[in-house]
Amino acid sequence: MSDRLYRDKVCHFAHRPHTSCRRTVTGAAGADHLFIKDDLAAWAERTRLKGRATSRDLGTGPGGAVDFRVGAVRQHVRFQFSRLAHAEWQQARRRLSSESATLDWVFGPGTAQLETMEELYDEYGYLLRFRFETHGAVRRIRLRAEDPRRSTDWVPLDVCAMTPQGLWLPGVRPRRRPGTGPAAVAGTRHGGALVRRSNEEQVLALKEALVSAARFRTRPTWEALARTGGSDLLALSVPDRVGLLVAVERTGGGEGSPLLSALIRTGEGDPPPYVGSVVAGVGCGLPATAAVLKRWCQREADRAFAVYGVPSRTAPPRLPLTADGQLAARQSAEPDQRQTIVHVKGGWARPFTARPKREREGSFGVALYRDTEIRHALRSARQRPGRKHAAALMARAEEALTRLPEPQRTQLVTEMATTRRWLDNRPDTPAPKPRQSRRAKKAADGKKTAAAKQSAGAKKARQGKKAKNLLQGARPLPGVGDTPPKKRPK
């Protein structure tokens, strides 16, 4: 390799001709793992930390991650440059946690999986991110903390600090760390044996974990709930889980409150089968199939996000279940209209019945659904024979994207993409018009303008031309036009 020295941009190394390298990052960010080591060394010197930064190869070449370790207190901060699968990240986290007193994971752009983000939201309440900014001939690191609702400002390393609890950023509120909360402490092993809490303590801890997940608009797995609500929850059998969840729902906010158990999901994103028993145990009916249970839990999750989210909003109505476990048809929420009988002097008058207000409708007779219902309406529209209903709902969905919060917006975008593919593959969808080049369009416009001018000129010529008089210039016949002389009176 040879060096490339510049005054106006980042200095770097370049490969000599006819050489090969297994590094996949060759752009401006290819040397960020070297710049962060310089920043960490300068930061440690200014803050008098005995720390050391080391590059790690995670299979894509040097610089897959950079570890910063403070040896005296066994604190560890990992800066993740390459994307890891969730299972690989969990395995690496368990290994590094056993070697360190505190462990902070800072993710670069696009390096965190969705499952990893949800797990960190459940445990810490936020996720640490980093990026680089170019300043002259060097690149400087910037960090921030983000959660599903807001994010802090991007800040340099100089304003951050290493505390006994780990890496601290300005604007980050203290969060409960794994193993420091009362629920986690109560469910940890004491002297090699798992401490089992009472049923009332487990109910309160589980409800707190579910409400926290609804506040951050996430759907946790049972394992994630056990990390925040106590590790003794992992030892519960399926019947014990059902009984515990039913007890949680009975301590809720009264009739009509969202079912928090509907937030629980499996690793594939579907609700566990035992959630159906919880639904039946609280008197909401028994879903007949897994598809009905999934649809019902999706609506209850949206209701929980609306009630417990910050800021809160009006929750959509609950989906009723029929006696055979199917979703009931949508019923009108209009109250019964009263009849007014009018007595008119001189005879009987026809009774006046107040007509119920019809739901406002748009193009093709599509009802104005709530923003949170458009996603489900798109799914049901694909079951209809025609395409007009789905096409009209797509226009409504475009308007709703600007009003929905982030989790619902992402779900709606996914549903819109599926509906758009469904519309494009239908035989009754008109073929798109071939795109015309700019030169051809200009020539066609010129022809239209010339034809219009020619037509206007011909019409004007016809209007200005007078009819020819055939008698013009001819002599009059004898006696025609002669006036007899007047006679004078005698």
Side-chain angles (χ1 to χ4, degrees):
M1 300 183 72
S2 61
D3 56 347
R4 296 289 187 268
L5 304 179
Y6 299 92
R7 294 182 180 272
D8 55 344
K9 60 181 180 179
V10 177
C11 303
H12 61 275
F13 293 96
H15 290 90
R16 294 186 180 275
H18 311 294
T19 57
S20 60
C21 179
R22 62 192 182 94
R23 279 191 56 80
T24 59
V25 181
T26 58
D32 283 347
H33 63 290
L34 302 178
F35 286 113
I36 194 175
K37 291 175 65 177
D38 294 339
D39 282 352
L40 290 171
W43 178 58
E45 183 178 357
R46 287 190 297 268
T47 56
R48 297 182 179 179
L49 288 174
K50 295 182 180 180
R52 181 182 178 183
T54 308
S55 298
R56 302 296 180 187
D57 187 351
L58 303 182
T60 58
V66 173
D67 290 332
F68 180 74
R69 297 177 184 269
V70 182
V73 291
R74 296 178 58 245
Q75 291 184 312
H76 189 179
V77 182
R78 164 159 286 194
F79 296 87
Q80 188 71 38
F81 283 83
S82 61
R83 190 176 179 87
L84 279 182
H86 181 59
E88 295 176 344
W89 175 81
Q90 285 183 321
Q91 183 179 2
R93 189 190 186 197
R94 286 192 295 267
R95 177 176 55 82
L96 295 178
S97 298
S98 62
E99 302 171 356
S100 308
T102 63
L103 174 64
D104 291 282
W105 217 290
V106 193
F107 293 90
T111 59
Q113 299 282 354
L114 180 60
E115 296 84 356
T116 305
M117 296 169 60
E118 291 181 355
E119 184 170 331
L120 291 174
Y121 288 151
D122 292 338
E123 294 188 13
Y124 295 90
Y126 58 84
L127 181 74
L128 295 180
R129 294 274 193 184
F130 75 88
R131 72 178 186 186
F132 283 85
E133 296 178 358
T134 302
H135 296 273
V138 296
R139 286 169 63 81
R140 299 298 185 193
I141 189 173
R142 296 292 185 268
L143 295 89
R144 79 173 182 184
E146 62 182 36
D147 61 28
R149 296 171 299 168
R150 65 178 185 89
S151 300
T152 62
D153 297 331
W154 291 102
V155 295
L157 268 174
D158 291 338
V159 299
C160 303
M162 286 298 295
T163 66
Q165 289 75 31
L167 182 63
W168 174 85
L169 274 66
V172 176
R173 292 175 295 177
R175 298 284 184 176
R176 184 175 62 193
R177 291 283 183 169
T180 60
V185 172
T188 54
R189 296 183 179 275
H190 179 70
L194 186 66
V195 178
R196 182 68 178 269
R197 294 170 292 174
S198 64
N199 185 262
E200 291 77 10
E201 293 175 341
Q202 288 181 336
V203 168
L204 293 177
L206 183 57
K207 183 179 179 180
E208 179 186 353
L210 287 171
V211 170
S212 177
R215 186 177 296 114
F216 290 110
R217 292 184 171 89
T218 58
R219 298 187 62 183
T221 60
W222 186 264
E223 290 73 18
L225 287 174
R227 284 191 295 269
T228 55
S231 57
D232 57 338
L233 298 177
L234 290 175
L236 296 179
S237 62
V238 171
D240 292 339
R241 293 183 186 183
V242 173
L244 191 63
L245 290 172
V246 171
V248 168
E249 303 302 340
R250 289 176 179 172
T251 61
E255 186 177 359
S257 60
L259 200 75
L260 293 173
S261 304
L263 297 173
I264 304 175
R265 63 171 179 85
T266 61
E268 291 75 21
D270 299 327
Y274 58 81
V275 174
S277 303
V278 180
V279 177
V282 297
C284 294
L286 180 62
T289 61
V292 174
L293 176 62
K294 182 177 181 179
R295 175 71 181 86
W296 195 89
C297 288
Q298 285 175 346
R299 171 61 65 86
E300 285 301 301
D302 292 340
R303 299 179 72 238
F305 296 158
V307 172
Y308 297 101
V310 180
S312 60
R313 53 185 174 83
T314 304
R318 171 174 290 169
L319 293 178
L321 294 174
T322 60
D324 56 350
Q326 301 296 330
L327 294 176
R330 185 180 179 185
Q331 299 177 355
S332 176
E334 295 289 340
D336 296 337
Q337 303 295 330
R338 297 181 179 180
Q339 291 186 350
T340 304
I341 301 176
V342 182
H343 296 277
V344 181
K345 184 178 179 180
W348 174 85
R350 183 177 181 181
F352 171 78
T353 305
R355 295 183 178 180
K357 294 182 179 180
R358 296 186 60 187
E359 189 175 11
R360 293 180 298 165
E361 295 184 352
S363 57
F364 310 116
V366 177
L368 292 178
Y369 295 97
R370 295 185 180 93
D371 293 346
T372 55
E373 296 177 349
I374 295 180
R375 175 168 59 93
H376 309 302
L378 284 173
R379 186 174 304 170
S380 60
R382 295 198 297 269
Q383 308 299 326
R384 296 194 176 191
R387 64 179 299 276
K388 292 184 177 180
H389 187 75
L393 280 174
M394 289 290 289
R396 296 279 176 78
E398 292 287 350
E399 300 175 359
L401 285 176
T402 60
R403 299 187 295 266
L404 286 173
E406 178 54 35
Q408 285 81 6
R409 188 188 304 120
T410 303
Q411 296 172 355
L412 180 57
V413 168
T414 304
E415 200 65 39
M416 288 172 63
T418 304
T419 307
R420 191 174 290 110
R421 290 193 297 268
W422 179 80
L423 288 171
D424 294 340
N425 295 330
R426 286 186 58 85
D428 55 349
T429 301
K433 296 181 179 180
R435 191 172 182 179
Q436 200 175 22
S437 64
R438 185 179 299 178
R439 182 179 297 177
K441 185 178 180 181
K442 188 175 181 180
D445 293 341
K447 290 181 180 179
K448 289 182 180 179
T449 305
K453 289 182 178 180
Q454 185 178 2
S455 176
K459 184 177 180 180
K460 186 176 181 181
R462 287 195 301 270
Q463 291 177 352
K465 189 175 182 182
K466 296 182 179 179
K468 187 176 181 180
N469 189 1
L470 299 178
L471 297 178
Q472 186 177 4
R475 284 183 172 184
L477 294 174
V480 177
D482 295 343
T483 304
K486 295 182 180 180
K487 294 181 178 181
R488 294 180 178 179
K490 295 179 178 180

